[in-house]
Amino acid sequence: MLKAISAAVVLTVIITGCTAVEPPKNTAADTGQEEKLESLRKQRDAVVKFFEPMRVRPGDWLDTQREQGETFEEYISANPTLPIDDRWTIYIQPIGRFNSEQLAVIDKVAEYMRAFYSLPVRLNSAKPLGEVPFDKKRLIKYRNNLQINTSYFLDDLLPKLLPNDAAALIAFTNYDLYPEPTRAFVFGQASLTKRTGVWSFYQFADPKTGRYDPKLMLERSLKIAMHETGHMFSMKHCTKYECLMSGTNHLAETDRRPLDNCPECMAASRHMVSRSSMVASRS
Ligand SMILES: [Zn+2]
Ligand SMILES: [Zn+2]
């Protein structure tokens, strides 16, 4: 049975499409919006020559998945989910029990998000996993490893915990995750529209010793948390450059990725941050 499970590791986004999507309130109607967008386009175009195109290696995400990528213009036309006047706090919700090293990493991730997005970031107290339906968990017997389907977080647990003023709610957990029955596991997953996401520490440990390298754990956590948060602000996977928003199939690929965005994704994230600053200044 395990042979049927793809060895591919996915850092991905899947839209379940099973619930109504709240229409984002932000539009291009704000004063000066078009000038800001034009300025971001110019900044993008000016730095493009400094970036190498994505090189796909055997076993990488794009070696196994077909994806279109997304330009800045496509991102804007898709009317992304962004912070709005009454919804502009990012919440971090730890789920499970954590050791002091993991808690310190979560603290650092919260600090980084706060600095990057110019938004309030609230780190909640840890909550237990709760009762997971039998069809949303599985036991990998040879590792004695309980895995939780990400849809339990994205569709069941997090929507109930989503505060009204949340720009996004991301759960951190140390339970191992899987996105669908054919996948071996996943580092994290988020919705482009529902403002919810989840990621796990589980796969960061050395498979032989079960120990975490503190530096790698922080780097991987920052990359995956920021990648999933990008998804929660409607950013799709990047295919043009080696970029924070590129999908990854394995930890070596994750480790190769920068914590920064490429020119296209940088323009998208700057647009998001400028919205954040505008919203925050009104409060
Ligand atoms: Zn992704
Ligand atoms: Zn990119």
Side-chain angles (χ1 to χ4, degrees):
M1 179 184 166
L2 284 173
K3 284 186 179 173
I5 297 176
S6 161
V9 183
V10 287
L11 168 58
T12 185
V13 59
I14 291 175
I15 308 304
T16 57
C18 57
T19 55
V21 174
E22 299 162 67
K25 292 178 190 171
N26 50 285
T27 69
D30 296 308
T31 310
Q33 178 78 334
E34 188 44 48
E35 286 82 356
K36 285 182 188 163
L37 294 178
E38 180 54 25
S39 162
L40 289 172
R41 280 191 284 268
K42 281 185 180 164
Q43 287 175 14
R44 174 201 56 189
D45 295 344
V47 297
V48 157
K49 64 182 176 188
F50 298 102
F51 285 75
E52 294 284 335
M54 164 80 82
R55 280 187 306 141
V56 180
R57 301 179 192 181
D60 279 359
W61 175 256
L62 287 176
D63 189 38
T64 59
Q65 310 287 325
R66 281 192 167 278
E67 288 190 322
Q68 299 289 320
E70 186 177 53
T71 63
F72 174 55
E73 286 80 2
E74 288 165 342
Y75 176 74
I76 296 299
S77 348
N79 200 14
T81 302
L82 298 177
I84 54 176
D85 285 350
D86 53 353
R87 235 174 45 193
W88 56 289
T89 299
I90 296 177
Y91 287 85
I92 297 174
Q93 180 60 64
I95 302 285
R97 283 185 288 184
F98 299 88
N99 61 34
S100 56
E101 271 185 333
Q102 292 169 329
L103 289 172
V105 166
I106 295 174
D107 265 339
K108 284 233 162 54
V109 170
E111 185 184 338
Y112 186 84
M113 279 188 179
R114 204 172 282 126
F116 185 89
Y117 289 116
S118 308
L119 288 175
V121 174
R122 283 194 54 179
L123 176 53
N124 292 340
S125 307
K127 287 186 183 294
L129 180 64
E131 196 63 42
V132 183
F134 74 91
D135 60 341
K136 292 194 176 180
K137 59 187 174 183
R138 68 186 181 189
L139 185 65
I140 304 297
K141 283 187 182 164
Y142 79 98
R143 285 190 283 157
N144 193 28
N145 176 23
L146 174 68
Q147 291 189 309
I148 310 297
N149 190 308
T150 45
S151 85
Y152 171 67
F153 291 91
L154 301 181
D155 302 328
D156 300 352
L157 185 62
L158 296 181
K160 290 180 201 149
L161 300 175
L162 186 68
N164 289 336
D165 66 344
L169 167 62
I170 186 164
F172 286 8
T173 186
N174 40 22
Y175 288 97
D176 200 13
L177 304 172
Y178 69 103
E180 52 190 272
T182 55
R183 298 285 186 182
F185 57 87
V186 70
F187 298 134
Q189 193 172 9
S191 165
L192 298 184
T193 56
K194 293 192 284 189
R195 298 178 285 143
T196 54
V198 59
W199 69 260
S200 168
F201 283 117
Y202 188 90
Q203 295 291 339
F204 296 170
D206 184 311
K208 290 183 185 156
T209 64
R211 290 190 167 168
Y212 295 93
D213 174 314
K215 183 171 177 289
L216 273 180
M217 183 162 72
L218 176 60
E219 286 175 5
R220 291 166 176 171
S221 297
L222 283 170
K223 287 176 186 176
I224 293 176
M226 295 302 287
H227 175 102
E228 300 305 337
T229 307
H231 283 324
M232 290 192 286
F233 293 125
S234 302
M235 292 172 72
K236 293 183 181 169
H237 277 160
C238 182
T239 58
K240 245 179 168 174
Y241 304 91
E242 297 274 348
C243 171
L244 174 71
M245 288 312 297
S246 306
T248 74
N249 230 8
H250 48 81
L251 274 182
E253 195 178 4
T254 304
D255 291 342
R256 219 169 68 218
R257 295 274 184 257
L259 180 56
D260 299 321
N261 289 297
C262 75
E264 295 289 344
C265 301
M266 183 168 55
S269 64
R270 281 194 179 178
H271 173 63
M272 204 287 287
V273 169
S274 75
R275 294 282 311 184
S276 303
S277 305
M278 191 171 68
V279 168
S281 69
R282 283 188 199 146
S283 65

